[in-house]
Amino acid sequence: MGGSGAASVIVVGAGVFGLATGLALAEAGLKVRMVAETVPGRTASGVAAGMLAPAFESVLDPPTPQSLDLLRASRDLWLGLAGRLGVALDRSGAAAVGPDAWVQDLQAQLEALGLEVRDAGRAEMQTWTPGLAPQFGRALVTLEDWRIEPQDALAAMAARLRELGGTVEAGALSDRDLADSPGPVVLATGADQRLSALAPELALLSPIKGQILWRADRAPPSRVIRTPGAYLLGSGGGLLAGATMEAGRADLAADLQAQASLRGALAGVIPLLPPEGWETRVGVRAASPDGLPLAGASVRPGVFLAVGARRNGWLLAPLVAEIVTAAVTGEDGGRWARRLDPSRFAPGTGEVQA
Ligand SMILES: Cc1cc2nc3c(=O)[nH]c(=O)nc-3n(C[C@H](O)[C@H](O)[C@H](O)COP(=O)(O)OP(=O)(O)OC[C@H]3O[C@@H](n4cnc5c(N)ncnc54)[C@H](O)[C@@H]3O)c2cc1C
């Protein structure tokens, strides 16, 4: 596979969308040349928490409640992908901890979506993390939500792509560099819009800056904890707490003022967590008008899109990779391809529903 006689494809971008798509194309037998300005691990994909969370994202992220089946379908694709990559998939689930009324509301919403949840009492909650605020007497646990360690998965995807004959090069490509490309070009360029002259659909994307906090001096919780306005989990041997959603911002500056509500939310769930001593990591998400990715052919012949991951890029990467690979190879993209088709925003086109 990927030998000298194989058809070639250029993938621009080495975040989780670019790498997952490049890998799927290489597995389909194409020779993949990946070019990325920023090395794997240093973009939004590298700062992300790695939650694969169809359940809590369906009720905590406004654009996603109608997308539960799609989110679950992509999560399930991680079973095979993580296995092929040899990276661990944490399937211990996630818990909601917060005021009773908030937990009850989440429970009602999750059950209305047909999702199974169970109650956990105070004794069990204290085994997850020390210092939980005493007023929280019960939590809600779902096994629907999984997690992957982003840095491990990015490194494994890049290594596997190279094993399959693909290349990963550093560099920025312009629309002029790509305009006369003899083979297909896949744009997995995240929130970056410099290639809009090549694929006008990129202009549909808007940035959402995200700041996430990490520290090594506190024991991480043994499972993902969701609380109003924040989440906590273990990553890289430390405690990761996220994340801000700063719509319209694309800068990478650490901004203490914008972190204030996140720090407040953390203090609400673990009061003894010191407000100082956090390392700030920043990434920029790209959001389409309906919150779902643009996956498939651009109006520009020969150009394909794998962008618009919003806050669920890790969760959605395997499904996007499958759909884009089918579009490039001329196969049927499956059940979700129309829902993510970039042409759904073309003038006169009603938004496609599942
Ligand atoms: C704080 C935070 C927490 C998150 N937590 C989660 C989570 O728990 N679960 C989840 O599913 N998602 C999460 N996300 C969202 C997820 O990280 C993103 O949706 C996803 O990483 C986007 O991946 P991407 O490949 O589209 O873009 P990126 O990772 O931004 O990669 C874009 C790539 O394109 C390259 N590029 C752009 N333009 C050019 C050019 N002209 N030439 C060459 N290269 C170019 C860049 O260098 C880079 O390699 C989080 C995001 C943030 C910010």
Side-chain angles (χ1 to χ4, degrees):
M1 277 200 290
S4 55
S8 295
V9 55
I10 297 178
V11 177
V12 188
V16 66
F17 271 15
L19 281 164
T21 304
L23 191 54
L25 287 161
E27 286 173 343
L30 278 82
K31 184 162 179 54
V32 176
R33 177 185 170 215
M34 181 170 289
V35 183
E37 185 172 25
T38 311
V39 296
R42 294 277 174 78
T43 61
S45 302
V47 306
M51 295 180 291
L52 311 174
F56 280 132
E57 285 300 300
S58 288
V59 296
L60 293 172
D61 187 34
T64 44
Q66 308 309 318
S67 311
L68 175 64
D69 289 351
L70 182 154
L71 300 182
R72 276 170 126 185
S74 193
R75 177 206 61 191
D76 290 345
L77 291 173
W78 269 109
L79 286 169
L81 179 55
R84 294 198 297 285
L85 293 171
V87 294
L89 203 51
D90 176 356
R91 296 177 62 186
S92 62
V97 175
D100 277 352
W102 181 77
V103 173
Q104 273 163 21
D105 180 49
L106 281 189
Q107 179 165 11
Q109 290 188 62
L110 290 166
E111 287 176 351
L113 289 170
L115 295 169
E116 264 183 43
V117 289
R118 72 168 175 84
D119 265 349
R122 181 80 196 165
E124 182 183 346
M125 290 160 66
Q126 279 172 314
T127 66
W128 299 340
T129 189
L132 264 188
Q135 71 268 28
F136 302 137
R138 69 173 277 234
L140 203 62
V141 178
T142 174
L143 297 180
E144 292 278 347
D145 291 357
W146 306 346
R147 190 178 167 268
I148 198 154
E149 189 67 41
Q151 293 291 348
D152 294 350
L154 291 169
M157 282 192 274
R160 183 77 187 125
L161 178 59
R162 290 188 177 104
E163 272 172 26
L164 292 173
T167 56
V168 184
E169 299 164 31
L173 293 179
S174 69
D175 48 304
R176 278 199 221 141
D177 296 326
L178 294 162
D180 299 322
S181 176
V185 173
V186 175
L187 302 183
T189 42
D192 199 304
Q193 293 183 328
R194 280 173 298 172
L195 296 177
S196 300
L198 187 71
E201 297 89 344
L202 293 182
L204 291 164
L205 301 175
S206 54
I208 306 176
K209 175 176 173 179
Q211 302 186 59
I212 195 164
L213 309 175
W214 184 84
R215 66 191 307 142
D217 63 349
R218 287 291 184 282
S222 60
R223 68 166 71 229
V224 174
I225 294 179
R226 300 289 199 133
T227 194
Y231 54 76
L232 288 157
L233 51 87
S235 178
L239 173 62
L240 194 71
T244 65
M245 289 282 284
E246 299 165 58
R249 287 190 66 178
D251 63 280
L252 292 176
D255 176 345
L256 283 180
Q257 204 176 346
Q259 289 170 19
S261 64
L262 177 58
R263 289 168 189 268
L266 296 173
V269 67
I270 305 189
L272 294 179
L273 262 184
E276 66 285 335
W278 293 94
E279 175 185 313
T280 303
R281 299 170 180 176
V282 187
V284 180
R285 315 164 180 95
S288 74
D290 65 4
L292 291 173
L294 307 180
S298 163
V299 288
R300 174 74 169 242
V303 175
F304 299 84
L305 298 166
V307 291
R310 198 179 147 82
R311 55 188 253 169
N312 283 306
W314 276 92
L315 173 57
L316 289 165
L319 185 63
V320 166
E322 197 174 89
I323 290 170
V324 175
T325 298
V328 171
T329 58
E331 306 286 323
D332 180 354
R335 180 180 172 196
W336 302 110
R338 283 192 62 221
R339 182 86 181 274
L340 302 188
D341 191 326
S343 71
R344 69 191 184 275
F345 298 112
T349 312
E351 266 184 39
V352 179
Q353 298 299 316

